[in-house]
Amino acid sequence: MIKPTVFVTRVIPAKGLEMVREVCEVILWEDELPPPYDVLRSEAARTDGLLCLLSDRIDAALIQASPNLRVVSQMAVGFDNIDVTAATAAGIPVGHTPGVLTDTTADFAFALLMAAARRTGEGERLVHAGQWRTWGPTLLMGQDVHGATLGIVGMGRIGQAVARRARGFDMRVIYYDEFDVQLPAGISAERSSLEELYAESDFISLHTPLTPNTHHLINATALKQMKPSCVLVNTARGPVVDPKALYAALANGEIAYAALDVTEPEPIPPDDPLLTLDNCLIVPHIASSSIATRTRMAVMSAENLIAGLKGERLPYCANPQVYGT
Ligand code: GLV
């Protein structure tokens, strides 16, 4: 039997890649950097399936120029890089990897929150620079996490998992979500308006998908409503925060700290002004990067890809409307 041909846009954890190789002819993009758009487009045009990442632009033009494409499977939970409307119109199911990375990402949001609160990045830089001279009574004084108010923007799976962790730190949790959310038992969090959340939170953690409504949600106006002691954590998507406004707010002391797993653009250019600030901690989009979770994400994306090639319903589908149900 002729195997379907698929384009896998990066070397993914081996278990997922092996599953794909068993049933498909694999064209593998082995470079660490994403394939250029024209390569992506020409590979998509001659393959039956795509296994892609959030740094690959899967737009309407690419979808429309790919008559054989039967499935797009993304190894990520977010899929703002994919024109899902165009895929649905073309009858192409889009797979993603929800659920599996919830706790791993929530752990990491908390790691960033605590690192920013207690200035661990600055402390490490100081020690490595040979500047640890003595026990200093005022050295790198930070902020207490316990007992503080945490504002969560976007109370989906990951937001809720962060709220659960906050309970262990005796935090008061308030949240904003544009939709009505039924919170499971065991999560105590009060719903609030965005304005109240900005004004009352000591820590703000972003967990909203990137949509037209959330693009630059955290802009100059929002930042001005936050406390001067506020710590902002972003493990969602870079463009949820306006980076110029964030720079101004951090440089002028309108907020105290930002801890970012995601930036706009990504990767952040080495000469970006945010990198000149001591009160901005930036890491390279690694919130879901535990060995177990990235392996499971690769397996889920292989499962989605293979199901789509067989004409079966994707187990983790971002556009179930493609099935007309
Ligand atoms: C990571 O950011 C993801 O969406 O899975």
Side-chain angles (χ1 to χ4, degrees), residues 247 265 267-277 282:
Y247 173 81
I268 191 164
D271 60 350
D272 191 292
L274 283 171
L275 295 175
T276 64
L277 297 172
I282 306 184

Side-chain angles (χ1 to χ4, degrees), residues 242-261:
D242 174 347
K244 288 203 175 68
L246 179 64
Y247 173 81
L250 289 167
N252 301 333
E254 285 167 24
I255 67 168
Y257 229 101
L260 312 175
D261 182 45

Side-chain angles (χ1 to χ4, degrees), residues 10-294:
R10 232 79 92 247
V11 179
I12 62 170
K15 205 165 161 191
L17 201 50
E18 279 158 24
M19 287 171 64
V20 177
R21 282 199 202 279
E22 265 173 38
V23 285
C24 304
E25 242 9 285
V26 173
I27 304 168
L28 179 63
W29 183 260
E30 296 195 31
D31 204 298
E32 185 195 358
L33 297 181
Y37 177 74
D38 52 338
V39 173
L40 187 60
R41 193 166 152 161
S42 63
E43 293 298 358
R46 67 181 178 115
T47 49
D48 304 294
L50 267 186
L51 198 158
C52 57
L53 305 188
L54 49 85
S55 36
D56 301 317
R57 178 158 56 95
I58 314 293
D59 60 11
L62 179 149
I63 288 166
Q64 284 150 15
S66 306
N68 302 324
L69 201 58
R70 282 182 277 151
V71 55
V72 174
S73 173
Q74 164 132 306
M75 192 185 126
V77 61
F79 45 81
D80 46 90
N81 57 311
I82 302 175
D83 190 329
V84 175
T85 310
T88 307
I92 299 174
V94 174
H96 69 141
T97 65
V100 58
L101 48 73
T102 300
D103 284 310
T104 303
T105 303
D107 288 350
F108 197 76
F110 236 89
L112 288 185
L113 183 155
M114 298 196 68
R118 301 305 304 276
R119 307 175 64 181
T120 57
E122 288 166 87
E124 198 198 29
R125 287 198 294 277
L126 179 142
V127 173
H128 279 257
Q131 288 168 359
W132 183 13
R133 303 177 62 211
T134 180
W135 186 91
T138 59
L139 182 62
L140 290 176
M141 291 193 294
Q143 306 196 38
D144 277 327
V145 172
H146 66 271
T149 296
L150 169 64
I152 296 178
V153 178
M155 199 56 158
R157 284 177 291 249
I158 300 174
Q160 292 178 26
V162 169
R164 253 185 253 114
R165 282 154 180 75
R167 207 172 49 169
F169 286 85
D170 295 327
M171 296 180 97
R172 170 180 172 237
V173 181
I174 55 180
Y175 73 93
Y176 168 82
D177 199 291
E178 58 182 309
F179 303 107
D180 275 332
V181 182
Q182 286 304 322
L183 291 185
I187 297 187
S188 62
E190 302 150 46
R191 187 168 190 182
S192 83
S193 67
L194 268 179
E195 291 68 27
E196 282 164 354
L197 185 142
Y198 295 152
E200 290 180 23
S201 299
D202 301 303
F203 297 88
I204 295 179
S205 194
L206 306 177
H207 299 288
T208 170
L210 176 62
T211 66
N213 283 348
T214 62
H215 183 266
H216 287 190
L217 177 71
I218 306 299
N219 54 18
T221 316
L223 288 156
K224 282 192 192 347
Q225 294 171 61
M226 296 177 191
K227 294 183 182 179
S229 56
C230 184
V231 172
L232 177 70
V233 179
N234 190 5
T235 52
R237 284 290 183 264
V240 175
V241 178
D242 174 347
K244 288 203 175 68
L246 179 64
Y247 173 81
L250 289 167
N252 301 333
E254 285 167 24
I255 67 168
Y257 229 101
L260 312 175
D261 182 45
V262 289
T263 58
E264 182 190 27
E266 237 170 68
I268 191 164
D271 60 350
D272 191 292
L274 283 171
L275 295 175
T276 64
L277 297 172
D278 279 336
N279 56 346
C280 190
L281 185 165
I282 306 184
V283 290
H285 205 150
I286 52 172
S288 66
S289 193
S290 72
I291 297 164
T293 293
R294 285 283 168 91

